[in-house]
Amino acid sequence: MIESRVRFRHLQTFLEVARQKSVVKAAGLLNVSQPAVTKTIRELEEALGVTVFERDGRGIKITRSGEIFMQHAGMAITALRQGIDSVANARAESGPPIRIGALPTVSAHIMPRAMGLFLEEDTGSTIKIVTGENAVLLEQLRLGELDLVVGRLAAPEKMTGFFFEHLYSEQVVFVVRPGHPLLGAQEDVFERLSEFPLLMPTRGSIIRPFVERFFITNGVASIPTEIETVSDSFGRAFVRQSDAVWIISHGVVSDEIAAGTLKMLPIDTSDTRGPVGLTMRTDTQPSAPFSILLKTIREAASERG
């Protein structure tokens, strides 16, 4: 039988190679040799009767069959981890740990209030919050490394196997330091935008396509000086001491805007609005603490709105 030939090491190795898109990197993280990883993948492919990876230039990419198997492999690893956690927590008399991925804007404005409400419930569960780009967090969710992602709605092709619950909408803003030359300009801001460094979301970020479409709509053909960053601390520091323009989700800088330490350029960015919400795997079976956490996040989001 196929299931008797597929072992935990096959699933673990397969998922790590899929995540790293590299046998060499996966071998390093698994602390085994590259030939051992290759052998394990070949054993898995023989058991399944299909190819799960194929060459892509100098690297590798997952096949369609591999993508289908990855969903189930992730579920199996997640179930095993949950079982281990349940036994460990039964010994420690504490609730199961919950692993959350959150965009920076969510981490700054939703999660602190949600955590305050959650701790009042005294569930005994340990919470782990990871911040990163939407695409990275969704990949970790797919592989069973996260239980929940609070972020933007991804493209339809990225949502296979996921369920999304809308919480609120957020748009991108252009912010600068007080006294910036563009704040007092009489002409169209876009005519002078190329004179200043732009801090842009990275190409892998969820809001990058919104920004690119917005530039095309407003006739911005090129950006002479562009700095891609996902670092909020760098963005705040650099904008305050330079004439750079920072293009960022409103929630990340809403406190600074309210305090007057950063100013929004007079640009209508309503076209960049996008839904922010809860993304979970469709096979998620919420525990009582997890259900309470979802409730507190919803409450925190409603207070924000």
Side-chain angles (χ1 to χ4, degrees):
M1 296 175 65
I2 290 178
E3 56 266 31
S4 65
R5 297 169 58 191
V6 178
R7 307 298 178 87
F8 175 79
R9 64 182 176 85
H10 292 116
L11 301 182
Q12 184 182 36
T13 301
F14 166 75
L15 289 173
E16 197 59 57
V17 173
R19 186 162 70 113
Q20 299 300 326
K21 298 180 177 63
S22 166
V23 170
V24 175
K25 291 180 181 179
L29 290 170
L30 294 169
N31 199 28
V32 297
S33 67
Q34 181 180 343
V37 171
T38 301
K39 181 174 181 291
T40 301
I41 294 300
R42 285 177 179 168
E43 290 175 354
L44 176 63
E45 291 180 330
E46 289 175 3
L48 296 176
V50 296
T51 300
V52 293
F53 295 109
E54 61 186 10
R55 291 193 176 278
D56 183 25
R58 295 183 178 180
I60 60 173
K61 68 178 182 179
I62 194 167
T63 64
R64 176 57 182 159
S65 295
E67 289 179 350
I68 295 172
F69 182 68
M70 183 169 67
Q71 295 181 30
H72 299 282
M75 290 166 54
I77 293 293
T78 299
L80 181 58
R81 285 174 176 162
Q82 289 174 344
I84 294 172
D85 289 340
S86 296
V87 173
N89 289 313
R91 280 202 313 267
E93 296 184 351
S94 61
I98 304 173
R99 301 156 300 172
I100 309 167
L103 289 181
T105 175
V106 175
S107 295
H109 289 276
I110 301 300
M111 294 312 298
R113 175 57 177 160
M115 285 303 96
L117 294 170
F118 181 76
L119 291 176
E120 291 176 1
E121 299 289 340
D122 193 24
T123 66
S125 286
T126 300
I127 301 294
K128 177 182 178 182
I129 301 176
V130 177
T131 298
E133 292 184 350
N134 214 71
V136 174
L137 297 177
L138 289 180
E139 185 66 14
Q140 291 176 321
L141 178 64
R142 190 178 301 281
L143 295 177
E145 297 172 0
L146 293 174
D147 303 305
L148 169 70
V149 170
V150 191
R152 285 235 184 182
L153 174 62
E157 64 271 16
K158 302 292 185 181
M159 292 298 292
T160 302
F162 292 149
F163 166 77
F164 180 83
E165 177 185 332
H166 180 269
L167 293 176
Y168 62 92
S169 295
E170 186 167 61
Q171 66 192 61
V172 173
V173 292
F174 290 57
V175 295
V176 295
R177 63 170 177 81
H180 192 281
L182 286 177
L183 289 172
Q186 299 299 317
E187 64 271 42
D188 185 353
V189 169
F190 289 106
E191 293 181 1
R192 295 190 56 193
L193 200 59
S194 62
E195 299 175 19
F196 307 95
L198 295 189
L199 297 188
M200 291 277 288
T202 60
R203 297 186 187 279
S205 67
I206 193 71
I207 65 172
R208 179 71 182 224
F210 289 87
V211 175
E212 291 178 341
R213 287 195 295 269
F214 185 75
F215 277 152
I216 292 172
T217 301
N218 287 278
V220 178
S222 63
I223 303 170
T225 306
E226 174 184 339
I227 302 172
E228 292 188 10
T229 182
V230 294
S231 172
D232 301 340
S233 56
F234 169 75
R236 291 185 179 92
F238 189 66
V239 168
R240 286 170 179 165
Q241 66 185 34
S242 72
D243 283 341
V245 178
W246 190 12
I247 304 172
I248 189 68
S249 291
H250 180 269
V252 176
V253 291
S254 59
D255 286 345
E256 287 81 2
I257 293 171
T261 56
L262 290 178
K263 299 287 187 179
M264 285 194 302
L265 290 179
I267 299 174
D268 181 6
T269 58
S270 56
D271 287 346
T272 65
R273 288 180 67 84
V276 176
L278 308 172
T279 301
M280 292 167 279
R281 295 167 60 109
T282 53
D283 62 313
T284 297
Q285 297 180 349
S287 62
F290 190 83
S291 297
I292 292 173
L293 174 66
L294 295 179
K295 176 176 175 290
T296 62
I297 293 175
R298 294 183 187 112
E299 289 182 22
S302 65
E303 291 176 7
R304 175 195 180 280

